[in-house]
Amino acid sequence: MNKMIFWIKNPLPMLPVLLLTAITVLTSPMALSAVQSFNITAKTLPNGQLAYSLGSDAEAVIPGPALFVKQGDTINVTLTNSTSVDVGFSVPGLNASAVKAQPGQTQSYSFQAAKAGTYVYHGNGKEMLGLFGALIVDPASGPVDKFVDDNGAIVPVAQADIDKQFVLFMVGSTFWGTEISSDGATQKPLWANPNPGAVENDIVRFHILSIGPGHTFHLHAHRWLKTGTNSTIDVKLLKDGTDTHTFTVKAGSGVGAGDWQYHCHLVSHMEAGMHGSFKVAPAGGSGASVVGASPYGRILLGSKDEPGLVTFEVSDEPASWFRSARGDAIVGLPYDIKTKSLEVMSPGSSVNFVMSDTNGVHTISSLLWPSGAAHMPFNQTTAYRGGGIVKLDTPGLYVFTCKVHPFMFAAIIVDDPNTEGLDLGNPAADYKIDLVTGITGLPTSTDLAVRLLKTFFIATAPSNWQDYSTGRWSVKFPTLPVRISGAPFGNIASGGLAAPLSAVLNSDQPIAFGSKPAVPGVGEVWVNTQFEKTAGKYKPGTISVVDTANWTVKRKIALPEINMNNPHNMWTNRDQSIVYQTQWFDNKLTLIDHANGKLIKNIQVGFSPSHVMTLPSTDDVTIANNGEDSIMIMPAGTSFVFKALPTQAPGQSTAHPHGHWISADGSKIVTPNISTGDVGIYGSSGGIEARTPTGNNVPGAHPVAIGMMPDSSKIYATNLLHHTLSVLDGAGNLLKTVNLIADYNPIDGTFADKDGNGIIAVGVLPIQTPVAPDGKSMVIASMGGQIVVVDTKTDTIAAMLECDPGCHGANFGAKKGGGYYAYVTSKFSNRLIVVDTDPNGDGNLSDATIAGHVPLVTGGTTAVDDTVSSLPGFGGQGVLAIPNVYNGWVQNLPEAWKVGLTDLQKNPMGR
């Protein structure tokens, strides 16, 4: 009360203060604020992407409608969800709401535009698939921006000065654009990778926004002001997550009319297609923008006659690694389509890839394309988080893969509407295709082409996988009418031949798990059942532990507490107490207690760690970062990465090492470098000793795995896409290249002893290639469904055994009583194959045999840490026998682990 009386008794001195306060309040954004209400609907577009529309009747667009308000305004948003998934409306920096609207429901949001600027609004979980837009908060009064004039003068910009505005979103490796009138009243979608247009000397305001992985925006020949300063820039870094940058330019200022490129300044993003042109027309020109690829355009079931766009989400999900945004709708078509990785569009449309559902890094790389197609092959030299976009003009089949994870496939059929059936090759070239391996003009009627199709339709459709628990393998291929070069196999007919795919590829046969080996092994076999799904996590993958005493699965390890993601390869420490597990679609190495299968620690080591081994000399852990460019080293007994050994010299291309091996004395680490097509030999303490190309000067070899003789005298590398085995000496000199498909006729599919070695054997798409601990034999697990046994004395094929679809992993373990078993896994079946390369121990490998098969599904006594929910026992890749009996490692085993081994198994080089 006393304070109030004192204030009233002294009115005159307070009048200036009162007046100033009143003026401040009346001229603040709060005083001038209004209530802005927006009714927004989330919809599904014809290509399966999601988008916002303003109101329920308007067309949904990407980016979503730009919302213009003034600082201080209250914003009310009513969101109606017309999609099949939960969506939201979140504005980082203003209203980071986590509330979502369920399908068919409506949700309301209210917040204040407290600060001027440009903001991202997004769908809170589905943003990278199209649910994003710009909220532009202009100052309540005064200029909205300023620009640098021809003479260097800084000129304020009022709203009325602006001729046009552009919103450009950077998402994945694609730009999404909108052209907006100066007052924001008229908006035109420019879609994906457009070419914005203006007339010279137009005042143009750009709103650059990003969502997901970060980018660096650059516009050629123009400069603008750094936000909040008078400093000029021509490039802007946008951070991960969400970020924005707004600037104004005078079109062609100082440089005149022209096509001025804009792009992301990251090289990997540029080569992925993240670029366009700012088309500045001379005075008197139209200044029209060129619209990019539209989700409504010329694609299967598209609704408009304009360049179309199909979109694939890059995912960690088994089979749907490249998942069409409308995969469920594609599968629902009446053509018996089982895969979600197939798309159809017209020439001149584009395919877009966005890494929206993966924790790893990837490449988008061409595997095959129509003969003579422009801009092929599409190749990314470095794996990263982003995506890719490419326009496809030539009719025919295009298949893309990831070089890091080479069983990921996306297929796009670009169909000429004037031909009967969907074109699988270029109509102008007898419907032929080219392959990344250098093969050109391959008729689509050949056996090789049919095998490639079969591989795609099995790999990308779990219903086509070999589930032994059902007792039958029924493989169904689409009844889609296609046009190939001629009648199968190898014929060429004028104008090609139209036929349903199912007429060539369907099969139906009884299957059984088979009998278990008669002779036990020693210890356990740990198998990465990489695709098996469990109820307590949303990422796939388990470890199936097989007891070789009775050939049953004793334990399933899912580690739901860390959401273990695509476990790929394993190794143990010296005393076999810790199992090191890589997560190939992630960035983690997991340490697991061998005794109970419990988690010890989950550590970050780098993107897409593939294989892990210890140095036999020190027990230090080496991890191949397949998505990067190094071997990581973790000191023995610790759980932190100590250093990285680069797999290439400064300035050289990223190597992307995969399945490495280590010499028995621990002095050398040998890697297959998938991106550079060579074998690298490195000192275990650092330094490059050799880099040896494996492709014989032909592109696309894709070396993927290494094997070594127990005395380190020879090195073996499998070349996945060349179907070859490279043999090197210990110094890295190439000694020999073994053609694993020499006995195969790719035209008609017949097999014959063409190499004259007395054996009919092939190894299509070879992967893991371990040498037996005693050095007498080597096995190659070939994805085409073969196990190749190689005699290391002569480096020739000694035998071929049948494997399951997606044959992948191989490793040796001790056989009870002497000798060794090779344990072989397959991605697209759910059993383990046990191979005895020398069953009678006479050194003659021609009698190599399959000793038995082991189901990888849970049994009544299997211990589990989570409930298997789907794909039981599938995804067999990395495999590890415990105890580790390879030379250099077996000698370091504790005595307790040597009890079941023979003297020769304890010392394989003592023979």
Side-chain angles (χ1 to χ4, degrees):
M1 180 65 72
N2 290 337
K3 290 182 179 179
M4 289 186 66
I5 293 171
F6 179 80
W7 180 71
I8 294 172
K9 285 182 177 179
N10 297 274
L12 291 178
M14 296 299 297
L15 281 176
V17 177
L18 288 171
L19 290 172
L20 181 60
T21 301
I23 291 170
T24 302
V25 170
L26 290 173
T27 58
S28 72
M30 294 295 293
L32 302 175
S33 65
V35 176
Q36 305 286 352
S37 297
F38 301 97
N39 292 316
I40 291 177
T41 302
K43 300 179 180 179
T44 302
L45 303 183
N47 75 343
Q49 289 191 251
L50 306 180
Y52 291 116
S53 70
L54 199 58
S56 59
D57 296 330
E59 181 178 84
V61 291
I62 304 176
L67 308 179
F68 286 86
V69 301
K70 298 288 188 181
Q71 184 180 2
D73 285 355
T74 297
I75 302 170
N76 295 326
V77 174
T78 301
L79 172 67
T80 301
N81 183 5
S82 296
T83 75
S84 61
V85 298
D86 294 353
V87 300
F89 185 90
S90 181
V91 188
L94 289 181
N95 174 51
S97 174
V99 178
K100 296 183 180 181
Q102 295 179 355
Q105 294 187 348
T106 296
Q107 188 63 244
S108 297
Y109 307 84
S110 183
F111 55 98
Q112 190 174 64
K115 184 179 179 181
T118 298
Y119 298 88
V120 173
Y121 69 81
H122 64 75
N124 200 14
K126 286 293 183 180
E127 52 270 21
M128 292 190 70
L129 200 55
L131 284 177
F132 54 81
L135 172 63
I136 298 163
V137 182
D138 283 327
S141 61
V144 296
D145 206 349
K146 48 190 177 180
F147 71 90
V148 182
D149 209 345
D150 301 10
N151 59 6
I154 296 174
V155 182
V157 179
Q159 186 72 54
D161 299 328
I162 298 173
D163 292 296
K164 62 173 60 178
Q165 304 184 68
F166 294 105
V167 167
L168 286 176
F169 261 88
M170 305 176 77
V171 183
S173 290
T174 302
F175 282 97
W176 290 89
T178 303
E179 181 177 321
I180 306 170
S181 61
S182 60
D183 59 2
T186 304
Q187 302 188 21
K188 174 185 177 181
L190 297 181
W191 302 118
N193 275 21
N195 294 323
V199 175
E200 188 176 358
N201 295 325
D202 276 355
I203 305 303
V204 181
R205 192 182 185 197
F206 283 92
H207 305 277
I208 311 300
L209 307 93
S210 72
I211 197 160
H215 299 279
T216 302
F217 178 82
H218 176 54
L219 172 61
H220 285 201
H222 292 76
R223 55 190 182 133
W224 58 90
L225 295 174
K226 183 177 180 181
T227 305
T229 75
N230 287 335
S231 301
T232 58
I233 59 175
D234 65 358
V235 66
K236 172 62 177 176
L237 175 66
L238 290 93
K239 65 180 184 296
D240 289 352
T242 61
D243 203 358
T244 68
H245 180 60
T246 294
F247 64 91
T248 301
V249 297
K250 186 177 181 180
S253 178
V255 293
D259 284 1
W260 305 111
Q261 189 180 51
Y262 71 91
H263 57 85
C264 179
H265 226 302
L266 300 175
V267 173
S268 55
H269 293 201
M270 280 192 290
E271 68 179 5
M274 199 170 196
H275 51 78
S277 290
F278 178 35
K279 302 176 77 67
V280 179
S286 71
S289 299
V290 179
V291 176
S294 164
Y296 294 89
R298 290 187 292 270
I299 62 175
L300 180 67
L301 305 180
S303 58
K304 294 185 179 182
D305 187 18
E306 59 189 16
L309 182 80
V310 297
T311 290
F312 289 91
E313 291 185 89
V314 181
S315 168
D316 296 339
E317 187 70 14
S320 296
W321 299 288
F322 288 125
R323 180 178 62 226
S324 167
R326 54 176 180 168
D328 291 336
I330 294 288
V331 169
L333 294 173
Y335 296 107
D336 211 11
I337 301 172
K338 305 297 184 183
T339 175
K340 297 180 181 180
S341 300
L342 175 68
E343 269 291 358
V344 180
M345 65 186 195
S346 295
S349 294
S350 297
V351 55
N352 176 45
F353 299 90
V354 59
M355 298 181 192
S356 57
D357 189 29
T358 179
N359 292 351
V361 294
H362 304 274
T363 72
I364 313 297
S365 303
S366 295
L367 188 61
L368 62 86
W369 55 90
S371 294
H375 312 302
M376 290 288 122
F378 184 79
N379 181 41
Q380 293 179 336
T381 55
T382 301
Y384 72 107
R385 297 291 301 278
I389 184 169
V390 59
K391 181 182 176 186
L392 303 178
D393 293 313
T394 305
L397 174 66
Y398 297 78
V399 176
F400 294 86
T401 188
C402 169
K403 289 192 290 188
V404 177
H405 311 90
F407 49 76
M408 297 172 59
F409 300 121
I412 302 95
I413 299 175
V414 177
D415 182 52
D416 181 349
N418 297 315
T419 61
E420 179 187 355
L422 300 176
D423 304 313
L424 293 191
N426 185 354
D430 292 322
Y431 297 90
K432 296 175 182 177
I433 57 175
D434 296 344
L435 308 184
V436 71
T437 54
I439 295 175
T440 60
L442 179 71
T444 46
S445 55
T446 61
D447 183 78
L448 177 57
V450 171
R451 283 177 181 268
L452 292 172
L453 282 172
K454 185 174 182 179
T455 298
F456 170 80
F457 283 110
I458 289 177
T460 61
S463 61
N464 284 335
W465 293 358
Q466 207 164 39
D467 186 352
Y468 283 93
S469 61
T470 66
R472 194 158 202 88
W473 188 31
S474 181
V475 183
K476 292 185 177 181
F477 296 91
T479 58
L480 282 170
V482 297
R483 181 166 286 273
I484 58 178
S485 299
F489 290 89
N491 300 288
I492 296 178
S494 177
L497 173 72
L501 272 174
S502 54
V504 178
L505 298 172
N506 275 3
S507 64
D508 188 15
Q509 61 191 67
I511 55 174
F513 276 116
S515 59
K516 298 176 180 179
V519 178
V522 176
E524 300 168 343
V525 179
W526 286 46
V527 178
N528 282 148
T529 33
Q530 188 172 317
F531 304 156
E532 187 168 58
K533 303 195 72 175
T534 61
K537 61 179 189 169
Y538 59 88
K539 292 297 185 182
T542 64
I543 304 166
S544 299
V545 182
V546 174
D547 185 343
T548 65
N550 54 23
W551 303 111
T552 61
V553 177
K554 62 183 291 187
R555 188 185 304 280
K556 287 275 186 178
I557 304 170
L559 299 182
E561 65 268 36
I562 62 167
N563 201 22
M564 184 169 65
N565 183 9
N566 281 275
H568 184 66
N569 187 260
M570 301 161 288
W571 204 259
T572 61
N573 64 343
R574 278 183 177 175
D575 65 13
Q576 317 294 283
S577 63
I578 298 174
V579 175
Y580 303 108
Q581 173 69 69
T582 60
Q583 297 184 52
W584 195 20
F585 282 63
D586 218 293
N587 60 359
K588 305 291 195 307
L589 178 75
T590 306
L591 281 62
I592 300 170
D593 188 322
H594 167 263
N596 57 25
K598 301 290 186 182
L599 174 70
I600 297 174
K601 196 164 185 179
N602 200 37
I603 63 171
Q604 184 171 317
V605 295
F607 277 118
S608 298
S610 51
H611 283 227
V612 56
M613 293 183 73
T614 58
L615 294 175
S617 52
T618 63
D619 213 28
D620 289 351
V621 183
T622 68
I623 308 112
N625 273 348
N626 197 188
E628 298 186 17
D629 54 7
S630 60
I631 300 291
M632 308 303 287
I633 307 294
M634 186 173 75
T638 71
S639 56
F640 62 87
V641 172
F642 172 66
K643 63 180 176 180
L645 302 181
T647 47
Q648 61 284 306
Q652 293 181 336
S653 298
T654 302
H656 292 311
H658 187 80
H660 67 296
W661 200 265
I662 295 173
S663 61
D665 63 1
S667 66
K668 296 179 180 180
I669 301 172
V670 185
T671 66
N673 298 325
I674 62 171
S675 281
T676 51
D678 60 66
V679 169
I681 302 178
Y682 311 91
S684 58
S685 58
I688 300 174
E689 297 184 6
R691 295 282 298 277
T692 306
T694 62
N696 290 327
N697 298 315
V698 179
H702 205 105
V704 69
I706 298 294
M708 285 186 79
M709 291 292 287
D711 61 359
S712 306
S713 60
K714 284 190 292 188
I715 298 166
Y716 298 90
T718 47
N719 300 301
L720 177 71
L721 299 182
H722 276 193
H723 318 284
T724 61
L725 175 71
S726 295
V727 186
L728 295 77
D729 65 20
N733 299 301
L734 184 63
L735 302 176
K736 185 178 184 180
T737 300
V738 182
N739 182 1
L740 297 176
I741 58 170
D743 292 347
Y744 166 61
N745 185 325
I747 304 300
D748 61 17
T750 58
F751 294 84
D753 182 19
K754 296 183 180 180
D755 55 10
N757 64 354
I759 301 291
I760 298 177
V762 298
V764 178
L765 300 171
I767 305 183
Q768 290 190 13
T769 178
V771 177
D774 60 8
K776 295 180 180 179
S777 64
M778 176 178 62
V779 296
I780 302 172
S782 299
M783 189 171 163
Q786 306 89 25
I787 301 168
V788 177
V789 180
V790 173
D791 187 335
T792 56
K793 291 180 183 177
T794 59
D795 294 326
T796 57
I797 297 173
M800 179 185 73
L801 305 171
E802 185 176 358
C803 196
D804 290 336
C807 193
H808 185 109
N811 234 330
F812 282 91
K815 175 183 173 184
K816 186 175 181 180
Y820 299 94
Y821 281 139
Y823 299 108
V824 181
T825 62
S826 299
K827 294 185 286 289
F828 309 127
S829 83
N830 51 4
R831 68 176 180 175
L832 174 70
I833 299 176
V834 184
V835 174
D836 195 336
T837 59
D838 189 11
N840 56 13
D842 64 355
N844 183 353
L845 306 183
S846 63
D847 58 356
T849 187
I850 293 177
H853 304 86
V854 182
L856 292 176
V857 297
T858 56
T861 61
T862 304
V864 299
D865 61 358
D866 200 6
T867 303
V868 174
S869 57
S870 62
L871 304 180
F874 281 102
Q877 293 185 56
V879 56
L880 174 69
I882 301 176
N884 185 339
V885 293
Y886 284 102
N887 186 50
W889 286 269
V890 66
Q891 292 87 347
N892 293 320
L893 286 174
E895 290 303 316
W897 281 100
K898 295 181 179 179
V899 171
L901 303 178
T902 66
D903 289 341
L904 281 178
Q905 289 171 335
K906 294 175 187 177
N907 184 17
M909 298 303 293
R911 64 185 188 280

